[in-house]
Amino acid sequence: MADRPQGHNKPKLSLHVPEPKFRPGDTVDFSDIGVTEPGEQPRPDEACAAQDTAPLCHDLIRVLGDDDEAHGPWDPKLDPETLRTMLGHFALTRAFDERMFRGQRQGKTSFYMKCTGEEATSVAAAMALASDDMVFPSYRQQGVLIARGYPIIEMINQIYSNKADKLKGRQLPIMYSSREKSFFSISGNLATQTPQAVGWAMASAIKGDSRIAATWVGEGSTAEGDFHSACTFATVYNAPVILNVINNQWAISSFSGFAGAERTTFAARALGYGLAGLRVDGNDPLAVFAAERWAANRARSNAGPTLIEHFTYRAEGHSTSDDPSGYRSAQEREEWPLGDPIMRLKKHLIALGEWDEERQEALDADCMDRVKKATKEAEKNGILGHGLHHPFRTMFEDVYEDLPWHLKEQAEQAIHERKTKFPEGLPEA
Amino acid sequence: MSESIEKTQASAPGEGETERRLNMIEAINDALSIMLDRDPDVIVMGEDVGYFGGVFRCTAGLQEKFGKTRVFDTPISECGIIGVAVGMGAYGLRPVPEIQFADYIYPGLDQLISEAARLRYRSAAEFIAPMTVRSPFGGGIFGGQTHSQSPESLFTHVSGLKTVIPSTPYDAKGLLIAAIEDNDPVIFFEPKRIYNGPFDGFYDRPVQPWKKHPQSLVPEGYYRIPLGQARIVREGEAMTVLSYGTMCHVAEGVCREKGVDAEIIDLRTLVPLDIETIEASVKKTGRCMIVHEATRTSGFGAELSALVQERCFYHLEAPIERVTGFDTPYPHSLEWAYFPGPIRIGEAIDKLLQD
């Protein structure tokens, strides 16, 4: 027995509460982040045993160097046309974010979330998948829809919850859904999509299909039980699924330490489950593409699921309702050692002789113009709170496949209230 | 065996079909087998449901018959089981996950309440979660507080879920087939106290699960009982008894012993609820007693009581009586004091009929 008399020579226990290194006003020093040399990370065979990826769970897969050239075995060797397409998706995503953020400030919608600095983790990842692979995104993967060619006017209609919103004004802005683009409906409850993606992948395997599933979850949400259930099911059934963990360092104001980042990497969580794990520079579009393609090939050949940690940085606030200057140093964004994914791809294309500043300017201008036009067009369908919404009866549809008696009664009540409110005649809808 | 638990209404067996005496476990097994056979998209999964056939044997023999990719065991993770089922439903399968005891469903609640229930709504019907979550529920088998709960009202409170509770083998089979074919997520609670047959003495003694009592005649082959249709267990004039699951039998037994001419209604599905049958009966009898095993406060009886009051107030001759379990966790050794038995139900009947 280790019992001793009260107060006798027992060390006092203490609780560790994580604290980020920098708070507002602090000078930022990211020199402790292990920025690896691009091209030096080994690329195991896609069908390797999961444990063979162990070194890569603590490494950082990088392709693009400071010389703007691609290096090493993870270079996906994409042709210039594909790289330009990727850059186009990047530019459109950023222009879209800028405009929608402004739209929220102008009162056209209640809420918006940018993905600034993280564009590669959705755009480059989506381009590495087949267009009919099912994605189970979280709330910062607008780049997947853009990469898949979903019309941005449909995204804006959803953000405005107007009468053309295909989701009938029921979802928070940015909680898109598109079956046609194999883009699963987004939930605000975090990490719930992870076991769902595994279930979809299992179903695909049960039916002998060739489509795989991919899901995205923030590093903060990996603390949710759903994530651990998803990892367990994925490994148990060898589900053809990719679990993307976006480690953007911040979960609203809680830094990654509150999800356990002080002790290990998020990629290393794969090891305990027997999943293949990759840790990749999330601001390196070529590395993200290569890692996602590696995992997709692995899944598609029944070699198993993969967990990918995308090491990146949330350059903006969590959402329009957040002010990061209240909890982190403004310098962080400038000092982030892995740069900006769009700039890195642009410079790479220029280094290849396949791009130039003039074309970049023209691309940016074209994207801004496209977004502006789509915004104007969408506004004709209404903006949030301006009355151009779906008819009241639609509130009661789709709760069940058929309308049960109690919802019929409540729908009648809603219509009655509307008539009482507008006795002179209903406003135009 | 009471008359009431013999097959009553619903469709008669089709031409050339025969009937067998089955208990509820066998009837559920039969329904699953039929649906696995008819629809290649039906998947049965859950802890121990595969090789072993389930701790209550509801899935016995199914893996052998339909293979490991149609009927399989899962990790002990209710959140995972239900979350995975949502994804399978979105793919186009019809998963029938089993939660081994309803008491263990709570880790899966977020997936049920926030995801399965609202998927159709939030995606404007682009994605649906057509799944049937089977789970044994209720007490009376000395299961203690972790194997005895009746959490049905948690689910009836959630828009988008359907809640089904059979009380006979015949209904269990027909309702389960309808639930699996339904395009909405269904919670299918199986009253484990009557899994194996009726009780010895039918109300206030424990079930002896080792005694196998064939319970009702169940037709061979496919038939379905539509969700949202109550069953009139017994017609009567003196009062209406609204109940479901095990408590239908207990209430019926007490009324029979006391010689009360009660109209006993087995709700079968709580959502969607058969309000027409309830309303017609209460208007006819003028008195209403609600019996369920779940705890009283915010139990489904409160909803039933409110509905009857709203719709039948001028027909009522006495205040509505609610007979329920107590607002305590389920006590292991005292479960027969907890359980709404003949004394509690009998006193409520007396109160209802005193004027």
Side-chain angles (χ1 to χ4, degrees):
Chain A
M1 298 285 275
D3 294 347
R4 291 199 183 94
Q6 185 70 30
H8 189 86
N9 198 27
K10 284 184 192 165
K12 194 173 170 185
L13 298 172
S14 66
L15 183 72
H16 171 67
V17 179
E19 181 62 29
K21 291 201 180 83
F22 320 110
R23 287 299 194 188
D26 288 349
T27 303
V28 169
D29 176 10
F30 279 134
S31 59
D32 64 318
I33 289 182
V35 179
T36 55
E37 198 58 43
E40 288 195 348
Q41 301 75 41
R43 186 183 180 283
D45 188 88
E46 287 149 354
C48 72
Q51 68 260 29
D52 293 350
T53 63
L56 289 166
C57 291
H58 293 280
D59 208 331
L60 191 64
I61 297 169
R62 302 182 77 218
V63 173
L64 280 175
D66 291 340
D67 57 1
D68 301 324
E69 302 281 351
H71 300 274
W74 285 95
D75 176 7
K77 301 196 189 318
L78 297 177
D79 61 79
E81 196 49 49
T82 305
L83 292 174
R84 278 191 291 265
T85 301
M86 189 185 283
L87 190 64
H89 296 327
F90 280 162
L92 185 57
T93 304
R94 193 160 284 186
F96 185 80
D97 273 1
E98 289 297 326
R99 183 99 197 170
M100 290 299 106
F101 188 91
R102 210 144 33 95
Q104 191 275 340
R105 292 295 190 246
Q106 292 165 343
K108 291 173 185 170
T109 187
S110 57
F111 182 75
Y112 191 72
M113 301 179 104
K114 287 174 152 186
C115 65
T116 311
E118 301 172 41
E119 289 89 347
T121 63
S122 55
V123 170
M127 288 180 71
L129 299 170
S131 62
D132 59 355
D133 287 335
M134 183 60 102
V135 299
F136 290 76
S138 181
Y139 49 70
R140 222 182 289 281
Q141 277 75 51
Q142 53 266 54
V144 174
L145 274 180
I146 285 177
R148 286 191 167 179
Y150 189 66
I152 55 173
I153 187 170
E154 299 293 358
M155 295 168 76
I156 304 171
N157 286 334
Q158 198 283 320
I159 290 166
Y160 287 169
S161 286
N162 64 24
K163 68 178 180 186
D165 170 15
K166 287 185 170 167
L167 305 184
K168 304 185 187 178
R170 293 167 181 165
Q171 271 278 49
L172 261 181
I174 65 99
M175 301 265 176
Y176 316 104
S177 172
S178 171
R179 192 180 175 87
E180 192 207 336
K181 295 292 176 191
S182 298
F183 187 96
F184 191 71
S185 155
I186 298 172
S187 176
N189 292 35
L190 299 180
T192 52
Q193 76 279 9
T194 57
Q196 294 165 4
V198 175
W200 196 97
M202 288 169 66
S204 189
I206 288 168
K207 299 303 277 185
D209 198 341
S210 62
R211 292 174 294 164
I212 64 168
T215 184
W216 281 255
V217 67
E219 94 284 349
S221 317
T222 61
E224 293 279 5
D226 297 64
F227 175 74
H228 301 276
S229 299
C231 290
T232 303
F233 276 72
T235 195
V236 166
Y237 301 104
N238 206 42
V241 67
I242 304 170
L243 303 160
N244 292 292
V245 175
I246 307 301
N247 178 4
N248 68 9
Q249 317 299 324
W250 291 95
I252 307 189
S253 74
S254 300
F255 85 116
S256 57
F258 283 100
E262 290 176 322
R263 314 293 180 199
T264 186
T265 68
F266 292 95
R269 278 149 177 74
L271 301 175
Y273 293 102
L275 300 166
L278 304 175
R279 187 162 174 269
V280 60
D281 174 354
N283 288 15
D284 179 339
L286 298 188
V288 169
F289 182 97
E292 198 77 15
R293 178 58 64 84
W294 185 94
N297 288 345
R298 180 176 176 83
R300 220 181 294 282
S301 60
N302 285 313
T306 304
L307 189 161
I308 304 176
E309 174 184 351
H310 301 263
F311 192 74
T312 181
Y313 185 75
R314 194 192 76 204
E316 297 274 0
H318 167 71
S319 73
T320 45
S321 308
D322 177 37
D323 175 13
S325 72
Y327 53 80
R328 72 182 186 190
S329 170
Q331 226 198 332
E332 277 194 21
R333 182 176 170 170
E334 306 307 319
E335 294 295 319
W336 183 248
L338 299 172
D340 174 87
I342 302 183
M343 291 304 289
R344 285 174 73 181
L345 182 61
K346 180 186 103 174
K347 290 200 294 193
H348 175 55
L349 267 165
I350 290 173
L352 289 177
E354 296 286 348
W355 197 244
D356 52 53
E357 291 291 353
E358 290 72 39
R359 278 192 273 181
Q360 182 68 40
E361 271 176 39
L363 172 66
D364 287 340
D366 178 56
C367 287
M368 284 202 299
D369 191 48
R370 280 172 67 190
V371 176
K372 193 176 168 186
K373 279 186 180 144
T375 307
K376 295 279 171 225
E377 207 53 40
E379 281 176 15
K380 290 181 191 163
N381 300 318
I383 56 175
L384 186 67
H386 280 219
L388 291 177
H389 42 60
H390 286 266
F392 279 20
R393 63 176 163 72
T394 63
M395 177 161 51
F396 301 92
E397 293 169 356
D398 304 322
V399 179
Y400 297 96
E401 186 174 33
D402 301 312
L403 205 62
W405 63 267
H406 62 289
L407 286 181
K408 274 183 201 151
E409 287 185 358
Q410 290 165 27
E412 282 160 20
Q413 174 68 19
I415 290 161
H416 156 76
E417 285 175 15
R418 190 169 187 231
K419 284 180 183 152
T420 310
K421 193 173 175 185
F422 303 107
E424 325 264 287
L426 304 179
E428 232 178 278
Chain B
M1 187 167 65
S2 83
E3 291 293 309
S4 70
I5 47 184
E6 285 288 348
K7 174 172 74 70
T8 52
Q9 331 168 293
S11 58
E15 220 172 292
E17 284 181 342
T18 54
E19 293 179 317
R20 284 181 296 162
R21 284 195 171 272
L22 299 181
N23 65 28
M24 193 180 285
I25 291 169
E26 292 161 340
I28 287 164
N29 185 277
D30 194 21
L32 291 171
S33 182
I34 287 168
M35 291 311 293
L36 282 161
D37 193 42
R38 281 172 71 98
D39 184 349
D41 291 333
V42 172
I43 299 294
V44 170
M45 61 176 182
E47 293 157 32
D48 303 309
V49 304
Y51 183 83
F52 181 55
V55 292
F56 288 103
R57 320 297 299 137
C58 286
T59 54
L62 296 179
Q63 186 177 74
E64 204 180 350
K65 204 164 156 189
F66 297 100
K68 282 203 299 186
T69 57
R70 303 282 311 282
V71 181
F72 53 85
D73 292 335
T74 62
I76 303 173
S77 167
E78 291 75 17
C79 154
I81 293 169
I82 295 169
V84 153
V86 171
M88 288 178 167
Y91 180 92
L93 300 187
R94 291 187 178 276
V96 188
E98 176 180 299
I99 301 297
Q100 204 162 71
F101 287 88
D103 312 67
Y104 303 151
I105 209 164
Y106 309 119
L109 276 191
D110 190 39
Q111 286 289 347
L112 274 172
I113 292 175
S114 312
E115 303 293 317
R118 296 208 295 255
L119 183 56
R120 177 191 292 279
Y121 193 73
R122 79 176 196 219
S123 71
E126 274 196 338
F127 296 100
I128 59 171
M131 60 204 260
T132 302
V133 181
R134 290 182 41 247
S135 191
F137 89 123
I141 61 156
F142 284 117
Q145 56 182 297
T146 56
H147 299 77
S148 305
Q149 295 164 59
S150 299
E152 65 273 15
S153 68
L154 286 178
F155 301 97
T156 62
H157 191 60
V158 177
S159 311
L161 293 180
K162 293 178 176 173
T163 304
V164 179
I165 300 173
S167 71
T168 69
Y170 177 85
D171 278 6
K173 179 175 170 183
L175 288 167
L176 182 54
I177 286 174
I180 293 171
E181 289 182 341
D182 201 283
N183 285 327
D184 292 314
V186 179
I187 313 300
F188 194 88
F189 281 129
E190 298 162 6
K192 59 177 151 337
R193 192 180 180 221
I194 49 175
Y195 253 165
N196 279 296
F199 335 109
D200 290 355
F202 68 75
Y203 43 78
D204 62 351
R205 270 179 289 162
V207 176
Q208 295 176 332
W210 55 90
K211 283 195 176 174
K212 218 170 172 188
H213 302 279
Q215 197 176 327
S216 67
L217 287 170
V218 176
E220 301 265 12
Y222 173 94
Y223 66 95
R224 52 180 285 158
I225 298 172
L227 308 186
Q229 276 185 16
R231 175 174 71 101
I232 298 177
V233 176
R234 198 181 80 182
E235 292 193 3
E237 301 291 333
M239 58 188 286
T240 297
V241 178
L242 302 179
S243 192
Y244 49 89
T246 305
M247 282 300 132
C248 290
H249 303 296
V250 181
E252 194 276 336
V254 178
C255 289
R256 186 154 38 80
E257 279 216 330
K258 286 179 75 81
V260 178
D261 181 26
E263 180 145 295
I264 296 170
I265 296 175
D266 172 6
L267 298 175
R268 278 178 171 160
T269 63
L270 307 188
V271 178
L273 186 66
D274 183 354
I275 193 69
E276 279 180 29
T277 298
I278 295 170
E279 212 176 316
S281 177
V282 175
K283 283 180 177 168
K284 179 179 81 172
T285 64
R287 293 168 207 271
C288 180
M289 177 173 77
I290 297 155
V291 189
H292 66 57
E293 189 187 324
T295 48
R296 187 177 187 83
T297 303
S298 303
F300 194 67
E303 178 62 29
L304 289 171
S305 173
L307 283 170
V308 169
Q309 190 276 142
E310 283 165 2
R311 284 158 193 267
C312 310
F313 182 75
Y314 294 108
H315 298 265
L316 289 175
E317 314 261 350
I320 300 160
E321 281 293 322
R322 266 194 296 164
V323 185
T324 68
F326 297 129
D327 285 338
T328 70
Y330 219 99
H332 181 233
S333 65
L334 294 176
E335 67 173 22
W336 296 97
Y338 177 94
F339 213 72
I343 296 174
R344 214 175 304 159
I345 294 172
E347 287 179 356
I349 292 173
D350 292 344
K351 272 173 82 179
L352 261 182
L353 296 178
Q354 67 188 356
D355 295 324

